[in-house]
Amino acid sequence: MSALFSEVFVATPTAVARAPARANLLGEHTDYNDGFVLPTPLPYVTTVAVGPGPAGMIEAHAARFGETKTRALDAPPAGDWLDYVLGCVRVVMQEGAAVEGVRVAIDSDVPMGAGISSSAALEVATLRALREWLGLRIDDVQVAKLGQRAESGYVGMPCGIMDQMVSSLGTPGQALFLDTRSLEHRLLKLPKSHALAVVHSGVAHRLTDGGYRQRRSECEAAASALKVKSLRDVDVADLPAIAALPEPLNRRARHVVTENRRVLDGVAALERGDAAAFGRLMVESHASQRDDYAVSLPEIDALVETALRHGALGARLTGGGFGGCIIALVEDPASWWPAVAAEHPEARLVYPR
Ligand code: GLA
Protein backbone atom coordinates (compact mmCIF):
# COMPACT_ATOMS: atom_id res chain seq x y z
CA MET A 1 0.00 0.00 0.00
CA SER A 2 2.84 2.35 0.87
CA ALA A 3 4.25 1.33 -2.49
CA LEU A 4 1.10 2.49 -4.30
CA PHE A 5 1.17 5.84 -2.49
CA SER A 6 4.89 6.31 -3.23
CA GLU A 7 4.42 5.39 -6.87
CA VAL A 8 1.54 7.82 -7.39
CA PHE A 9 2.73 10.75 -5.28
CA VAL A 10 6.51 10.21 -5.11
CA ALA A 11 6.29 10.59 -1.31
CA THR A 12 5.96 8.32 1.70
CA PRO A 13 2.52 8.04 3.37
CA THR A 14 2.26 9.11 7.00
CA ALA A 15 -0.31 6.47 7.94
CA VAL A 16 -1.93 3.38 6.44
CA ALA A 17 -5.14 1.75 7.71
CA ARG A 18 -7.63 -0.92 6.69
CA ALA A 19 -11.31 -1.68 7.25
CA PRO A 20 -13.59 -4.55 6.22
CA ALA A 21 -16.90 -4.97 4.38
CA ARG A 22 -19.92 -6.50 6.13
CA ALA A 23 -23.03 -8.63 5.81
CA ASN A 24 -26.05 -8.31 8.05
CA LEU A 25 -27.56 -11.44 9.62
CA LEU A 26 -30.79 -9.88 10.90
CA GLY A 27 -32.12 -6.38 11.50
CA GLU A 28 -32.59 -4.67 8.15
CA HIS A 29 -33.71 -1.04 7.87
CA THR A 30 -33.92 -0.86 11.64
CA ASP A 31 -30.79 1.25 12.24
CA TYR A 32 -32.28 4.57 11.11
CA ASN A 33 -35.25 3.77 13.33
CA ASP A 34 -33.01 3.56 16.44
CA GLY A 35 -33.46 -0.24 16.44
CA PHE A 36 -31.37 -3.40 16.68
CA VAL A 37 -29.00 -4.91 14.12
CA LEU A 38 -26.81 -8.01 13.90
CA PRO A 39 -24.08 -7.61 11.25
CA THR A 40 -20.72 -9.35 10.83
CA PRO A 41 -17.53 -8.25 9.04
CA LEU A 42 -16.65 -10.00 5.78
CA PRO A 43 -13.06 -10.74 4.72
CA TYR A 44 -12.93 -8.04 2.04
CA VAL A 45 -10.78 -5.06 2.86
CA THR A 46 -10.20 -1.48 1.83
CA THR A 47 -6.76 -0.04 2.56
CA VAL A 48 -6.11 3.70 2.68
CA ALA A 49 -2.74 5.47 2.87
CA VAL A 50 -2.64 9.18 3.74
CA GLY A 51 -0.08 11.94 3.91
CA PRO A 52 0.20 15.71 3.58
CA GLY A 53 -0.70 17.28 0.25
CA PRO A 54 -0.88 20.68 -1.46
CA ALA A 55 -2.55 23.40 0.64
CA GLY A 56 -6.33 23.49 0.44
CA MET A 57 -6.51 20.41 -1.75
CA ILE A 58 -7.17 16.69 -1.70
CA GLU A 59 -5.35 14.51 -4.20
CA ALA A 60 -6.53 10.93 -4.21
CA HIS A 61 -5.76 7.83 -6.21
CA ALA A 62 -8.06 4.79 -6.43
CA ALA A 63 -6.19 1.72 -7.66
CA ARG A 64 -9.48 0.06 -8.61
CA PHE A 65 -10.24 2.76 -11.17
CA GLY A 66 -6.61 3.55 -12.02
CA GLU A 67 -7.64 7.12 -11.47
CA THR A 68 -6.22 10.14 -9.60
CA LYS A 69 -8.51 13.07 -8.75
CA THR A 70 -7.74 16.48 -7.31
CA ARG A 71 -10.30 18.70 -5.62
CA ALA A 72 -10.45 21.68 -3.26
CA LEU A 73 -11.12 20.71 0.37
CA ASP A 74 -14.10 23.07 0.38
CA ALA A 75 -15.57 21.80 -2.90
CA PRO A 76 -19.17 20.51 -2.96
CA PRO A 77 -19.72 16.77 -3.50
CA ALA A 78 -19.29 15.64 -7.10
CA GLY A 79 -21.12 12.31 -7.01
CA ASP A 80 -18.02 10.11 -7.26
CA TRP A 81 -15.79 7.92 -5.02
CA LEU A 82 -13.77 10.90 -3.88
CA ASP A 83 -16.83 12.27 -2.05
CA TYR A 84 -16.55 9.51 0.58
CA VAL A 85 -12.89 10.33 1.28
CA LEU A 86 -13.28 14.09 1.19
CA GLY A 87 -16.38 13.77 3.40
CA CYS A 88 -14.21 12.07 6.04
CA VAL A 89 -11.46 14.70 5.77
CA ARG A 90 -14.07 17.42 6.20
CA VAL A 91 -15.67 15.88 9.30
CA VAL A 92 -12.30 15.63 11.07
CA MET A 93 -11.62 19.26 10.12
CA GLN A 94 -15.03 20.21 11.57
CA GLU A 95 -13.93 18.40 14.73
CA GLY A 96 -10.95 20.76 14.93
CA ALA A 97 -8.17 18.82 13.19
CA ALA A 98 -5.73 21.01 11.26
CA VAL A 99 -5.48 19.63 7.73
CA GLU A 100 -3.70 21.85 5.22
CA GLY A 101 -3.86 19.48 2.34
CA VAL A 102 -4.05 15.72 1.96
CA ARG A 103 -2.97 12.94 -0.33
CA VAL A 104 -4.76 9.60 -0.27
CA ALA A 105 -4.15 6.28 -2.00
CA ILE A 106 -6.88 3.63 -1.90
CA ASP A 107 -6.81 -0.06 -2.65
CA SER A 108 -9.79 -2.34 -2.14
CA ASP A 109 -11.07 -5.78 -2.96
CA VAL A 110 -14.60 -5.05 -1.66
CA PRO A 111 -16.98 -5.73 -4.55
CA MET A 112 -18.95 -2.64 -5.47
CA GLY A 113 -22.71 -2.69 -5.96
CA ALA A 114 -22.97 -5.91 -3.93
CA GLY A 115 -24.56 -4.23 -0.92
CA ILE A 116 -21.75 -5.34 1.42
CA SER A 117 -20.85 -1.78 2.23
CA SER A 118 -17.84 -0.77 0.21
CA SER A 119 -18.68 2.78 1.33
CA ALA A 120 -18.40 2.13 5.09
CA ALA A 121 -15.14 0.21 4.54
CA LEU A 122 -13.74 3.22 2.68
CA GLU A 123 -14.92 5.69 5.33
CA VAL A 124 -13.65 3.68 8.29
CA ALA A 125 -10.27 2.99 6.65
CA THR A 126 -9.93 6.69 5.76
CA LEU A 127 -10.84 7.83 9.27
CA ARG A 128 -8.48 5.30 10.87
CA ALA A 129 -5.65 6.54 8.65
CA LEU A 130 -6.48 10.19 9.45
CA ARG A 131 -6.66 9.34 13.17
CA GLU A 132 -3.19 7.88 13.07
CA TRP A 133 -1.68 10.63 10.92
CA LEU A 134 -3.20 13.54 12.83
CA GLY A 135 -3.07 11.94 16.30
CA LEU A 136 -6.85 12.37 16.69
CA ARG A 137 -8.17 11.31 20.09
CA ILE A 138 -11.23 9.46 18.82
CA ASP A 139 -12.28 5.93 19.70
CA ASP A 140 -13.74 3.31 17.36
CA VAL A 141 -17.34 4.33 18.08
CA GLN A 142 -16.50 7.93 17.16
CA VAL A 143 -14.83 6.70 13.98
CA ALA A 144 -18.13 5.02 13.06
CA LYS A 145 -20.16 8.13 13.92
CA LEU A 146 -17.88 10.38 11.87
CA GLY A 147 -18.09 7.97 8.93
CA GLN A 148 -21.86 8.06 9.05
CA ARG A 149 -21.76 11.85 9.30
CA ALA A 150 -19.52 12.04 6.23
CA GLU A 151 -21.89 9.81 4.26
CA SER A 152 -25.14 11.42 5.29
CA GLY A 153 -23.92 15.01 5.62
CA TYR A 154 -21.53 15.25 2.67
CA VAL A 155 -22.06 12.34 0.26
CA GLY A 156 -25.81 12.80 0.66
CA MET A 157 -26.86 9.22 1.44
CA PRO A 158 -29.00 9.29 4.61
CA CYS A 159 -27.72 5.95 6.00
CA GLY A 160 -27.95 4.61 9.53
CA ILE A 161 -24.93 3.65 11.65
CA MET A 162 -24.86 -0.14 11.25
CA ASP A 163 -22.27 -0.41 8.48
CA GLN A 164 -19.73 1.97 10.00
CA MET A 165 -20.13 0.38 13.45
CA VAL A 166 -19.49 -3.17 12.27
CA SER A 167 -16.62 -2.09 10.03
CA SER A 168 -15.07 -0.22 12.95
CA LEU A 169 -15.88 -2.57 15.86
CA GLY A 170 -16.72 -5.97 14.41
CA THR A 171 -14.69 -9.15 14.85
CA PRO A 172 -14.44 -11.57 11.91
CA GLY A 173 -16.41 -14.75 12.48
CA GLN A 174 -18.67 -13.18 15.12
CA ALA A 175 -21.91 -11.24 14.98
CA LEU A 176 -22.08 -7.72 16.41
CA PHE A 177 -25.32 -7.18 18.30
CA LEU A 178 -25.85 -3.44 18.28
CA ASP A 179 -28.49 -1.21 19.77
CA THR A 180 -28.33 1.72 17.35
CA ARG A 181 -30.01 4.05 19.87
CA SER A 182 -27.57 3.65 22.77
CA LEU A 183 -24.74 2.24 20.62
CA GLU A 184 -24.33 -0.49 23.22
CA HIS A 185 -22.92 -3.53 21.51
CA ARG A 186 -21.57 -6.99 22.13
CA LEU A 187 -20.09 -9.83 20.13
CA LEU A 188 -21.88 -13.14 19.67
CA LYS A 189 -20.58 -16.48 18.49
CA LEU A 190 -22.05 -17.89 15.29
CA PRO A 191 -23.48 -21.43 15.28
CA LYS A 192 -20.72 -24.07 15.15
CA SER A 193 -22.90 -26.52 13.23
CA HIS A 194 -23.53 -24.20 10.28
CA ALA A 195 -21.79 -21.60 8.13
CA LEU A 196 -22.83 -18.32 6.59
CA ALA A 197 -22.88 -17.97 2.85
CA VAL A 198 -23.25 -14.65 1.05
CA VAL A 199 -24.37 -14.73 -2.57
CA HIS A 200 -24.57 -11.79 -4.95
CA SER A 201 -27.79 -11.93 -6.93
CA GLY A 202 -26.11 -10.41 -9.97
CA VAL A 203 -28.42 -7.40 -9.72
CA ALA A 204 -26.38 -4.32 -8.82
CA HIS A 205 -27.56 -2.49 -5.76
CA ARG A 206 -27.45 1.30 -5.73
CA LEU A 207 -28.29 2.82 -2.39
CA THR A 208 -28.36 6.36 -3.61
CA ASP A 209 -31.44 5.31 -5.54
CA GLY A 210 -34.55 6.97 -4.17
CA GLY A 211 -36.02 3.83 -2.57
CA TYR A 212 -33.89 3.99 0.58
CA ARG A 213 -34.62 7.65 1.15
CA GLN A 214 -38.32 7.03 0.58
CA ARG A 215 -38.44 4.15 3.09
CA ARG A 216 -36.70 6.31 5.62
CA SER A 217 -39.23 9.13 5.26
CA GLU A 218 -42.13 6.64 5.39
CA CYS A 219 -40.77 5.43 8.74
CA GLU A 220 -40.56 9.01 9.99
CA ALA A 221 -44.16 9.62 8.88
CA ALA A 222 -45.30 6.41 10.62
CA ALA A 223 -43.50 7.39 13.83
CA SER A 224 -45.07 10.83 13.87
CA ALA A 225 -48.55 9.38 13.15
CA LEU A 226 -48.00 7.04 16.12
CA LYS A 227 -46.79 10.03 18.17
CA VAL A 228 -43.43 8.51 19.02
CA LYS A 229 -39.91 9.80 18.45
CA SER A 230 -38.95 6.84 16.30
CA LEU A 231 -40.27 3.37 15.46
CA ARG A 232 -37.96 1.99 18.14
CA ASP A 233 -40.52 3.34 20.61
CA VAL A 234 -43.25 0.95 19.45
CA ASP A 235 -43.16 -2.84 19.54
CA VAL A 236 -45.20 -5.88 18.70
CA ALA A 237 -47.75 -4.97 21.38
CA ASP A 238 -48.54 -1.90 19.24
CA LEU A 239 -49.29 -3.89 16.08
CA PRO A 240 -53.05 -3.12 16.25
CA ALA A 241 -52.35 0.64 16.23
CA ILE A 242 -49.80 0.12 13.46
CA ALA A 243 -52.37 -1.81 11.38
CA ALA A 244 -54.65 1.24 11.52
CA LEU A 245 -52.07 3.48 9.80
CA PRO A 246 -52.65 4.27 6.12
CA GLU A 247 -50.95 2.14 3.45
CA PRO A 248 -47.99 1.75 3.08
CA LEU A 249 -47.00 3.24 6.46
CA ASN A 250 -48.71 0.34 8.26
CA ARG A 251 -46.57 -2.24 6.46
CA ARG A 252 -43.33 -0.24 6.75
CA ALA A 253 -43.82 0.15 10.51
CA ARG A 254 -44.82 -3.49 10.89
CA HIS A 255 -41.57 -4.55 9.24
CA VAL A 256 -39.51 -2.41 11.60
CA VAL A 257 -41.16 -3.55 14.84
CA THR A 258 -41.22 -7.22 13.87
CA GLU A 259 -37.63 -7.01 12.61
CA ASN A 260 -36.47 -5.52 15.92
CA ARG A 261 -38.18 -8.43 17.66
CA ARG A 262 -36.48 -10.90 15.31
CA VAL A 263 -33.05 -9.49 16.17
CA LEU A 264 -33.71 -9.95 19.89
CA ASP A 265 -35.05 -13.47 19.28
CA GLY A 266 -32.06 -14.16 17.02
CA VAL A 267 -29.63 -13.09 19.74
CA ALA A 268 -31.36 -15.50 22.14
CA ALA A 269 -31.17 -18.28 19.52
CA LEU A 270 -27.43 -17.69 19.00
CA GLU A 271 -26.85 -17.69 22.73
CA ARG A 272 -28.42 -21.10 23.08
CA GLY A 273 -26.75 -22.34 19.88
CA ASP A 274 -30.09 -22.91 18.11
CA ALA A 275 -29.20 -22.62 14.43
CA ALA A 276 -32.62 -23.88 13.27
CA ALA A 277 -34.47 -21.15 15.20
CA PHE A 278 -32.06 -18.55 13.85
CA GLY A 279 -32.69 -19.80 10.31
CA ARG A 280 -36.46 -19.50 10.75
CA LEU A 281 -36.03 -15.87 11.82
CA MET A 282 -34.00 -15.21 8.67
CA VAL A 283 -36.82 -16.66 6.57
CA GLU A 284 -39.38 -14.46 8.34
CA SER A 285 -37.12 -11.46 7.93
CA HIS A 286 -36.96 -12.02 4.19
CA ALA A 287 -40.74 -12.28 3.90
CA SER A 288 -41.09 -9.06 5.85
CA GLN A 289 -38.57 -7.24 3.65
CA ARG A 290 -40.37 -8.55 0.55
CA ASP A 291 -44.00 -8.03 1.56
CA ASP A 292 -44.00 -5.23 4.11
CA TYR A 293 -40.90 -3.21 3.38
CA ALA A 294 -40.85 -3.82 -0.40
CA VAL A 295 -37.07 -3.69 -0.76
CA SER A 296 -36.61 -7.07 -2.47
CA LEU A 297 -36.75 -7.94 -6.16
CA PRO A 298 -38.13 -11.04 -7.93
CA GLU A 299 -34.56 -12.22 -8.72
CA ILE A 300 -33.65 -12.03 -5.03
CA ASP A 301 -36.84 -13.79 -3.90
CA ALA A 302 -36.07 -16.59 -6.36
CA LEU A 303 -32.51 -16.90 -5.06
CA VAL A 304 -33.73 -17.08 -1.45
CA GLU A 305 -36.23 -19.75 -2.45
CA THR A 306 -33.51 -21.80 -4.21
CA ALA A 307 -31.17 -21.37 -1.23
CA LEU A 308 -33.81 -22.82 1.09
CA ARG A 309 -34.81 -25.61 -1.26
CA HIS A 310 -31.19 -26.79 -1.31
CA GLY A 311 -31.10 -27.09 2.44
CA ALA A 312 -30.28 -23.68 3.93
CA LEU A 313 -31.79 -23.27 7.41
CA GLY A 314 -32.44 -19.64 6.61
CA ALA A 315 -31.88 -17.16 3.79
CA ARG A 316 -32.67 -13.50 3.34
CA LEU A 317 -31.84 -10.34 1.48
CA THR A 318 -28.98 -8.57 3.30
CA GLY A 319 -28.09 -4.88 3.12
CA GLY A 320 -29.99 -1.92 1.75
CA GLY A 321 -31.94 -3.92 -0.83
CA PHE A 322 -33.14 -3.22 -4.39
CA GLY A 323 -30.46 -5.67 -5.55
CA GLY A 324 -27.26 -6.92 -3.95
CA CYS A 325 -26.74 -10.05 -1.86
CA ILE A 326 -28.56 -12.70 0.09
CA ILE A 327 -27.14 -14.29 3.23
CA ALA A 328 -27.88 -17.93 4.03
CA LEU A 329 -27.18 -20.25 6.93
CA VAL A 330 -26.05 -23.58 5.50
CA GLU A 331 -24.49 -26.79 6.73
CA ASP A 332 -21.78 -27.01 4.11
CA PRO A 333 -21.34 -24.17 1.60
CA ALA A 334 -19.07 -26.35 -0.57
CA SER A 335 -21.85 -28.79 -1.42
CA TRP A 336 -24.74 -26.30 -1.22
CA TRP A 337 -23.35 -23.63 -3.52
CA PRO A 338 -22.96 -25.71 -6.74
CA ALA A 339 -26.64 -26.72 -6.54
CA VAL A 340 -27.72 -23.10 -6.13
CA ALA A 341 -25.33 -21.85 -8.83
CA ALA A 342 -26.68 -24.39 -11.32
CA GLU A 343 -30.08 -22.67 -11.11
CA HIS A 344 -28.74 -19.10 -10.94
CA PRO A 345 -25.90 -18.68 -13.43
CA GLU A 346 -25.94 -14.92 -12.81
CA ALA A 347 -25.30 -15.32 -9.05
CA ARG A 348 -21.80 -15.23 -7.50
CA LEU A 349 -20.58 -16.65 -4.20
CA VAL A 350 -19.15 -13.70 -2.26
CA TYR A 351 -18.52 -15.56 1.00
CA PRO A 352 -16.90 -17.94 1.89
CA ARG A 353 -14.19 -16.61 -0.40
C1 GLA B 1 -27.60 0.36 4.16
C2 GLA B 1 -27.35 1.49 5.15
C3 GLA B 1 -27.46 0.97 6.58
C4 GLA B 1 -28.79 0.21 6.78
C5 GLA B 1 -28.99 -0.81 5.68
C6 GLA B 1 -30.35 -1.46 5.75
O1 GLA B 1 -26.57 -0.59 4.26
O2 GLA B 1 -26.07 2.05 4.97
O3 GLA B 1 -27.35 2.05 7.48
O4 GLA B 1 -29.86 1.10 6.85
O5 GLA B 1 -28.86 -0.24 4.39
O6 GLA B 1 -30.45 -2.24 6.89
Side-chain angles (χ1 to χ4, degrees):
M1 194 52 200
S2 295
L4 176 69
F5 189 98
S6 309
E7 189 188 313
V8 177
F9 298 119
V10 200
T12 309
T14 320
V16 179
R18 298 148 53 88
R22 66 98 185 91
N24 190 18
L25 277 71
L26 271 181
E28 220 65 77
H29 295 276
T30 47
D31 63 350
Y32 52 82
N33 291 296
D34 286 350
F36 304 111
V37 293
L38 196 61
T40 187
L42 289 181
Y44 288 90
V45 169
T46 295
T47 308
V48 170
V50 296
M57 306 298 286
I58 182 168
E59 275 181 5
H61 178 83
R64 158 170 284 164
F65 305 114
E67 190 173 57
T68 305
K69 293 187 183 234
T70 303
R71 201 164 289 158
L73 291 177
D74 59 4
D80 60 12
W81 57 266
L82 184 52
D83 289 352
Y84 295 88
V85 184
L86 179 50
C88 291
V89 172
R90 291 166 62 107
V91 289
V92 303
M93 291 173 74
Q94 286 160 11
E95 290 296 298
V99 180
E100 273 204 28
V102 55
R103 285 188 171 125
V104 183
I106 307 158
D107 201 1
S108 180
D109 66 359
V110 182
M112 293 182 63
I116 61 168
S117 214
S118 56
S119 55
L122 178 53
E123 291 151 9
V124 171
T126 301
L127 287 162
R128 284 177 168 166
L130 292 170
R131 172 170 69 183
E132 191 185 327
W133 169 32
L134 302 166
L136 305 176
R137 305 176 75 87
I138 51 174
D139 64 16
D140 293 341
V141 171
Q142 284 166 305
V143 162
K145 284 179 160 179
L146 292 176
Q148 182 206 21
R149 209 166 94 198
E151 187 159 341
S152 56
Y154 186 72
V155 178
M157 159 60 199
C159 61
I161 192 124
M162 167 171 74
D163 304 342
Q164 292 80 5
M165 281 293 282
V166 66
S167 185
S168 185
L169 289 131
T171 295
Q174 297 195 41
L176 181 78
F177 171 43
L178 168 68
D179 177 342
T180 64
R181 172 168 270 174
S182 66
L183 298 188
E184 271 175 53
H185 51 88
R186 68 191 156 94
L187 293 168
L188 291 166
K189 292 209 170 61
L190 296 172
K192 282 205 184 66
S193 55
H194 287 74
L196 295 175
V198 178
V199 178
H200 192 326
S201 61
V203 185
H205 133 108
R206 291 210 46 225
L207 259 196
T208 30
D209 285 352
Y212 187 90
R213 200 178 295 276
Q214 192 192 346
R215 292 298 174 281
R216 193 171 174 147
S217 62
E218 287 164 349
C219 288
E220 284 160 11
S224 82
L226 293 163
K227 302 199 169 40
V228 290
K229 185 163 169 282
S230 81
L231 290 179
R232 164 64 181 275
D233 300 309
V234 280
D235 65 25
V236 287
D238 301 300
L239 284 174
I242 288 169
L245 293 174
E247 277 280 344
L249 304 190
N250 51 359
R251 286 184 294 125
R252 306 297 187 254
R254 183 167 62 187
H255 166 75
V256 174
V257 304
T258 58
E259 187 77 353
N260 276 330
R261 173 41 53 194
R262 284 186 285 272
V263 176
L264 299 177
D265 291 348
V267 168
L270 289 183
E271 279 170 341
R272 60 174 196 273
D274 190 343
F278 195 87
R280 283 193 295 276
L281 292 163
M282 294 173 82
V283 173
E284 287 171 21
S285 170
H286 185 74
S288 182
Q289 293 193 83
R290 180 192 61 209
D291 302 336
D292 280 350
Y293 219 65
V295 285
S296 190
L297 297 172
E299 297 91 324
I300 304 235
D301 298 339
L303 190 54
V304 163
E305 191 270 323
T306 307
L308 295 170
R309 188 159 31 77
H310 289 294
L313 286 183
R316 59 184 285 282
L317 168 62
T318 183
F322 308 103
C325 289
I326 69 157
I327 186 165
L329 188 61
V330 301
E331 209 173 296
D332 175 21
S335 58
W336 170 85
W337 168 241
V340 174
E343 291 182 43
H344 294 269
E346 70 296 345
R348 292 195 307 276
L349 187 65
V350 167
Y351 178 81
R353 291 192 76 169

